[in-house]
Amino acid sequence: MESPETKDSGERGIVERIRSGEEEIRIEAAREIRRLTKTSSRNRRKLSEAVEPLVQMLHSGSVDASEAAILALLNLAVKDERNKIRIVDAGALEPLFGFLQSINLNIQEYATATLLTLSASSSNKATIGTSGAIPLLMKILADGNPQAKIDAVMALYNLSTITDNLKVILSLQPIPLLVDILKDCNKSSKTAEKCCALLESLMGFEEARTALTSEDGGVLTVVEVLEEGSQQGREHAVGTLLSMCEVDRCRYREVILNEGVIPGLLELTVHGTPKSRLKAHALLELLRNSPYPRSQFHADTLENIVTSIVSHIDGEDCAGKAKKMLAEMVQVSMEQSWRHLQQRAFVCTPTKMPVGNCPSEVSSK
């Protein structure tokens, strides 16, 4: 078994080899760093001094050296906040942006994955956004390979939590590209979740709302995520539709209803996250055929709201499905209420489980 001193000496030796003047030695050392940091958080910390010479390798002009350096930096950054910041501070963004424009699709993919991981750090988001990453990521959405597109969506989502970055994304007309990705991806995937999260943020802008309703299948695709997505994906999907209706109910009510949203909303009021259930109730309230705000009514039961909606839906199949689901939903709700009453007999203080939105980053490669 190696002693700690031997291990530390080996790690220092790898860093020294990265600084070597011989390209082959540097490439082999970078590949070894990639291997050692794939699963070990300890090695990521121990080998953090390799960041600066690895960033220098990105300028080598050699495809092999660049690829080895990118993958080593990627693994150093995964789940390590200090390394993420150190990589950006060392000047990695400029060469990474060059690789995003490379005709070598592997290099382009690795650079996108690295940028995704770096963008998961709140300390890096403003710097990455103002350095010109967003237009390049949008181009990846249009022209990149499938994996690069997925990573670009997630990187844009990470960056969009900064208001200035979100405005830049909006200015580049992202809705058609996001809808295309949503159409093609698994509706329960992390990709669909982040697409809908980004759409929800963009719905605060009139240009984005107009673009989504103008895009062929745009609203329908969001409804499909609401019906088939992950719990977080469904939460963002219903949030997207709710944001539209809250801004201009008269304009968007029929558009949303025409895509058959009611059955999915009913199911969400019972089986969604706490936020999803609240949003679904609020959207059902806005979708009913009444021009008056909620405050002018006595508290409506969900049954009355839905009955009002389905009575104005064209097509027996859609209305029938909604009514059937309402009956099932009421039954499930009654069962849940009964279980809740039973639990209150034994539990004094209920525990709330927070639902958080975590920034995305890739796994080690």
Side-chain angles (χ1 to χ4, degrees), residues 17-29 57:
R17 280 186 281 142
I18 283 286
R19 295 191 174 104
S20 167
E22 296 184 34
E23 185 173 285
E24 284 303 316
I25 293 175
R26 296 164 69 195
I27 290 172
E28 287 304 315
M57 280 182 70

Side-chain angles (χ1 to χ4, degrees), residues 26-277:
R26 296 164 69 195
I27 290 172
E28 287 304 315
R31 288 171 178 166
E32 190 170 353
I33 290 172
R34 174 192 176 190
R35 178 182 62 80
L36 291 170
T37 55
K38 185 176 179 67
T39 58
S40 172
S41 58
R42 177 185 175 278
N43 284 341
R44 290 177 194 130
R45 183 49 38 81
K46 289 281 188 179
L47 291 166
S48 61
E49 290 185 10
V51 165
E52 286 78 11
L54 284 169
V55 170
Q56 289 302 312
M57 280 182 70
L58 298 178
H59 296 277
S60 69
S62 161
V63 173
D64 289 342
S66 297
E67 181 177 309
I70 291 172
L71 292 171
L73 288 166
L74 172 58
N75 283 4
L76 281 166
V78 169
K79 298 180 182 178
D80 193 301
E81 180 73 8
R82 280 187 282 182
N83 280 350
K84 288 181 176 70
I85 296 169
R86 186 167 184 167
I87 289 166
V88 171
D89 288 346
L93 292 182
E94 182 183 348
L96 285 175
F97 292 171
F99 297 134
L100 289 180
Q101 302 170 77
S102 173
I103 59 172
N104 183 321
L105 294 184
N106 286 333
I107 289 283
Q108 187 185 88
E109 178 186 323
Y110 301 149
T112 307
T114 303
L115 199 58
L116 162 58
T117 299
L118 297 176
S119 70
S121 167
S122 57
S123 299
N124 287 339
K125 292 181 181 183
T127 302
I128 293 172
T130 56
S131 297
I134 293 172
L136 298 174
L137 289 170
M138 291 297 299
K139 193 169 188 312
I140 297 292
L141 282 191
D143 303 324
N145 68 28
Q147 185 59 52
K149 287 183 178 183
I150 290 170
D151 290 345
V153 166
M154 295 188 182
L156 287 166
Y157 165 74
N158 286 348
L159 296 173
S160 72
T161 60
I162 303 290
T163 301
D164 287 345
N165 289 344
L166 185 63
K167 290 178 179 177
V168 175
I169 294 170
L170 176 68
S171 72
L172 297 169
Q173 302 179 339
I175 300 299
L177 293 172
L178 293 175
V179 170
D180 283 344
I181 290 172
L182 267 183
K183 287 178 179 178
D184 292 339
C185 73
N186 185 318
K187 301 301 182 290
S188 62
S189 65
K190 183 70 73 172
T191 305
E193 178 184 315
K194 298 306 180 184
C195 269
C196 280
L198 191 48
L199 285 173
E200 183 178 8
S201 298
L202 289 165
M203 289 304 105
F205 301 92
E206 183 179 356
E207 307 98 290
R209 295 191 298 272
T210 300
L212 183 62
T213 54
S214 301
E215 190 68 21
D216 184 34
V219 175
L220 175 59
T221 307
V222 176
V223 171
E224 289 173 347
V225 177
L226 185 150
E227 294 175 336
E228 306 167 23
S230 66
Q231 287 281 45
Q232 288 299 308
R234 299 176 78 193
E235 183 179 308
H236 291 305
V238 70
T240 298
L241 301 176
L242 178 60
S243 295
M244 296 168 66
C245 246
E246 283 178 330
V247 171
D248 194 338
R249 175 187 178 278
C250 294
R251 181 176 179 183
Y252 298 116
R253 176 181 177 274
E254 292 298 329
V255 174
I256 294 171
L257 281 175
N258 287 342
E259 301 300 354
V261 72
I262 297 302
L265 282 177
L266 294 178
E267 201 272 340
L268 205 56
T269 61
V270 177
H271 297 300
T273 65
K275 286 183 179 179
S276 294
R277 294 198 294 269

